[in-house]
Amino acid sequence: MSLPNLPHELSARTAVDLPQRLTDWLVTHGVRVVAIVLVALVLRLVLVRTVARLVRRAVDSGLHSRLRRGKATRVLAQATGAMHERRRQRTETLGSVLRSVITGFVYGVALLMVLSEFGVNLAPLIASAGVVGVALGFGAQSLVKDFLSGIFMLLEDQYGVGDVVDVGEAVGTVEEVSLRITRIRDANGVAWYVRNGEIVRVANRSQGWSTALIDFPVAFNQDLEKVQRVIADVLHEVWEDERWKDVLLEEPTVAGVEQITGTTVTLRVVAKTAANQQFAVQRDIRERVLVAFDQQHVRPPAVYPGTPGAPGTGSIAGTV
């Protein structure tokens, strides 16, 4: 009696059972893999759209909360182009960051679930990922700090493109804002690249509105009531001027005596203007007040020989 060929019979049986086993695996695990992939795709799509809607709503609400009633609202609303561009930039930057985070998290979890369906032991992978994450965290601390600072800076709208800011050593106009760096162009044309993580404090001179401060020195023995009346008349003319109706937010006022030094009394004028428009208003008010002083015989401070501004000293006396 001959023994059966066991290896041959086992291989034949395995060959017969393989399609059945493959079918069973596809029915059980394959359906789960497809379901995991579909759920991941749908979940990412829903989360991305929800986050984009929330970011856009937060940016719009933060922008509208800065608008004031009356003429200020109208003047600020006329800068629709700049505001729209700024809002678009913030929305796209924040949206891209959040989309990347959501995509990485959802697809990462889905990949781990798919690997578990194939019977892969996830413990070594998770442990390795933890070690790599700790190593990257120690090696890229400054980079992570820059990105986090950039995210909060954009979310809180601390400054944007076109704003005049003071971040310490760099003072100038913001030309570009990214998650890692901010590019600032100063008055000398120098481009400063400042890491967001190194910005401790920011002085924004262009957010919402600006203030024009103009000082007028006059002689000590002048009639201050008359001088203030002359300046007030000029300020009212500036307020009624059509050229400044879209720049001035409120009618300029005479704050009063700012300083008394020797034979000089300094009067201060305050004017609230649209963002970055204070310099042109200052020049126009100075020119008009200078002409009014000459017509009303308001004398500048006396200049004595040997003092700065006197004849022969090389500077101009009686500057207003």
Side-chain angles (χ1 to χ4, degrees):
M1 181 177 180
S2 61
L3 295 175
N5 192 352
L6 294 180
H8 178 72
E9 291 185 1
L10 290 176
S11 60
R13 185 179 303 174
T14 303
V16 174
D17 295 341
L18 182 60
Q20 183 63 34
R21 293 180 180 180
L22 182 60
T23 303
D24 294 340
W25 187 92
L26 290 176
V27 172
T28 56
H29 298 280
V31 173
R32 294 180 183 177
V33 171
V34 173
I36 291 173
V37 173
L38 291 179
V39 170
L41 293 175
V42 174
L43 182 61
R44 177 192 173 277
L45 180 62
V46 172
L47 290 177
V48 165
R49 291 187 176 181
T50 303
V51 168
R53 190 180 302 110
L54 292 177
V55 170
R56 190 179 303 110
R57 185 179 304 172
V59 172
D60 293 341
S61 62
L63 177 66
H64 293 314
S65 65
R66 291 184 174 87
L67 295 178
R68 288 170 170 76
R69 296 181 179 179
K71 188 175 182 179
T73 302
R74 179 172 58 83
V75 172
L76 294 177
Q78 289 181 349
T80 306
M83 289 183 178
H84 175 72
E85 177 63 23
R86 180 167 175 169
R87 182 169 64 251
R88 184 193 63 79
Q89 183 191 40
R90 292 176 59 204
T91 303
E92 289 184 355
T93 304
L94 292 174
S96 64
V97 173
L98 294 176
R99 281 197 302 269
S100 300
V101 173
I102 291 174
T103 301
F105 179 77
V106 173
Y107 287 172
V109 173
L111 179 61
L112 293 178
M113 296 177 66
V114 170
L115 291 177
S116 66
E117 291 297 327
F118 283 95
V120 177
N121 188 7
L122 300 180
L125 293 177
I126 297 176
S128 301
V131 173
V132 173
V134 172
L136 292 177
F138 278 107
Q141 290 183 20
S142 60
L143 185 62
V144 174
K145 181 180 179 182
D146 294 339
F147 273 89
L148 290 178
S149 299
I151 291 174
F152 283 106
M153 180 271 299
L154 289 172
L155 188 62
E156 297 170 359
D157 193 21
Q158 298 176 10
Y159 56 84
V161 175
D163 287 352
V164 179
V165 298
D166 179 355
V167 295
E169 295 184 3
V171 180
T173 304
V174 178
E175 289 188 341
E176 182 182 358
V177 179
S178 65
L179 290 179
R180 195 177 71 86
I181 63 171
T182 296
R183 189 178 70 205
I184 300 175
R185 183 81 60 175
D186 65 12
N188 297 323
V190 180
W192 293 74
Y193 292 86
V194 185
R195 288 170 43 197
N196 294 329
E198 298 297 325
I199 300 177
V200 180
R201 54 99 177 129
V202 179
N204 193 331
R205 302 178 181 178
S206 306
Q207 201 165 54
W209 48 272
S210 300
T211 302
L213 300 177
I214 312 106
D215 292 333
F216 296 101
V218 298
F220 183 81
N221 57 358
Q222 295 297 294
D223 185 356
L224 294 182
E225 292 186 1
K226 174 185 175 182
V227 175
Q228 295 188 51
R229 188 165 55 251
V230 171
I231 298 176
D233 293 340
V234 172
L235 297 180
H236 186 70
E237 293 178 1
V238 174
W239 173 251
E240 295 294 334
D241 193 338
E242 291 293 323
R243 185 170 48 148
W244 304 116
K245 69 176 183 177
D246 295 332
V247 175
L248 290 171
L249 304 183
E250 298 176 359
E251 184 172 358
T253 59
V254 182
V257 177
E258 179 66 21
Q259 188 177 12
I260 301 176
T261 305
T263 60
T264 303
V265 178
T266 303
L267 300 174
R268 169 160 293 186
V269 170
V270 180
K272 183 180 291 187
T273 70
N276 296 331
Q277 300 297 322
Q278 70 271 26
F279 303 109
V281 174
Q282 289 176 354
R283 288 189 288 268
D284 187 54
I285 291 178
R286 287 194 184 100
E287 294 175 1
R288 296 189 187 216
V289 171
L290 182 61
V291 174
F293 278 179
D294 184 64
Q295 295 175 351
Q296 298 297 327
H297 306 289
V298 177
R299 292 189 302 166
V303 179
Y304 299 99
T307 60
T313 59
S315 58
I316 301 176
T319 303
V320 177

